[in-house]
Amino acid sequence: MRIRIVDAFTDRPFSGNPAGVLLLKGGTFPAAERLQEIAAEVNLSETAFAHPLPPGGTADWALRWFTPVAEVDMCGHATLATAHVLHTTGLATGPVRFTARCGILSATAHPDGSLTLDFPTSPLSEEPVPYGLADALGGDPVSVHGTGEHIGDLLVELRDEAAVRALAPDFAALAAHSRRGVIATAGAEDPARGYDYVSRGFFPGVGIDEDPVTGSAHTALAPFWSARLGRDDLTGLQASARSGLVRTALRGERTLLTGTAVTVIDGELLTTF
């Protein structure tokens, strides 16, 4: 079985967020334990598994995502990577619909090679700053918001971009503050650089200390910054070591995430399910 490593939310190799992609030939998923073993072996923030569905239904492919230690409800970059593989191999020529834990998702390819994902918007709820969060994160929160069931993060606003970039969290302590992790964000220091807000994503609850570019986090970042900046169409920079840009478009209960991807490894999985 072929396995591909795709760098997502970037237009050049060795940047953005790498994801494993395995397209299964059967009509069902193997046991979750086997998928988890493969994801642990790939050892990227997420590995996506997809299999085709019969024509005429509400979705074209079934999709699941695994970190090295857990299955997750929603993943943007591995969905972008999967859609990229489907389009670059000719298995898809138009919009692709996926059924996943978080509902029906879709991916639309554009002539310039970019892809737009249609995801559910994460509902935000302002919360008191939890005791110990500032010490665990390594920065003082301006505000804290819950992000709903599918991502289960805390969205933490900091005073400025420099504060986000300077964070050096205590990951063991940070894991106690949310189900999946913490999204730290601030407005861009200089929007002329091509982005409106900056973020970093720390997800020790699912085995990922820092994620390079987190598409799902932008389903919460989009409504947060759209409300503050008064615009529905924005660009976010995730300021990890690999870095990447996510163009967000808030459409009520749905958020559109647009980016590009590059396949960097195409190999063979030498095992059976």
Side-chain angles (χ1 to χ4, degrees):
M1 180 171 295
R2 289 174 75 173
I3 179 169
R4 297 167 174 90
I5 307 300
V6 178
D7 289 344
F9 292 114
T10 183
D11 59 1
R12 56 189 177 86
F14 315 123
S15 60
N17 199 353
V21 178
L22 288 94
L23 303 181
L24 311 179
K25 296 180 180 179
T28 59
F29 287 110
E33 292 78 10
R34 190 61 163 165
L35 301 181
Q36 187 65 74
E37 288 176 337
I38 294 170
E41 185 75 11
V42 175
N43 200 33
L44 296 173
S45 57
E46 264 91 11
T47 297
F49 300 88
H51 71 72
L53 295 171
T58 58
D60 309 301
W61 291 77
L63 181 61
R64 294 171 73 176
W65 313 277
F66 288 77
T67 78
V69 301
E71 185 171 8
V72 296
D73 286 357
M74 183 190 293
C75 179
H77 86 279
T79 304
L80 186 75
T82 303
H84 170 79
V85 170
L86 290 172
H87 280 91
T88 55
T89 59
L91 291 173
T93 56
V96 181
R97 300 166 300 166
F98 300 101
T99 182
R101 277 186 169 190
C102 57
I104 301 296
L105 314 173
S106 69
T108 302
H110 305 292
D112 65 357
S114 66
L115 292 148
T116 295
L117 309 179
D118 184 330
F119 270 49
T121 300
S122 293
L124 301 179
S125 56
E126 189 161 8
E127 300 179 0
V129 178
Y131 176 77
L133 176 63
D135 289 339
L137 186 60
D140 293 322
V142 174
S143 67
V144 174
H145 290 74
T147 58
E149 62 174 324
H150 290 310
I151 60 176
D153 300 327
L154 286 181
L155 178 63
V156 180
E157 179 188 10
L158 299 180
R159 66 180 183 275
D160 55 29
E161 180 175 331
V164 173
R165 290 181 179 274
L167 292 175
D170 177 339
F171 295 113
L174 202 62
H177 287 284
S178 70
R179 177 167 57 87
R180 189 177 75 159
V182 171
I183 308 160
T185 189
E189 179 181 336
D190 180 7
R193 294 176 180 169
Y195 55 92
D196 301 290
Y197 58 90
V198 67
S199 68
R200 289 174 69 188
F202 310 108
F203 308 109
V206 290
I208 306 162
D209 284 347
E210 180 165 8
D211 196 36
V213 192
T214 314
S216 60
H218 287 75
T219 66
L221 289 162
F224 183 86
W225 286 109
S226 291
R228 279 156 177 73
L229 300 177
R231 290 182 287 122
D232 288 339
D233 294 5
L234 301 169
T235 298
L237 171 72
Q238 193 152 334
S240 65
R242 292 175 64 103
S243 191
L245 291 171
V246 183
R247 302 201 303 273
T248 60
L250 184 63
R251 300 294 183 262
E253 294 183 355
R254 309 295 294 185
T255 294
L256 307 182
L257 310 172
T258 299
T260 53
V262 181
T263 300
V264 293
I265 296 175
D266 188 345
E268 186 175 0
L269 180 68
L270 297 178
T271 186
T272 60
F273 286 110

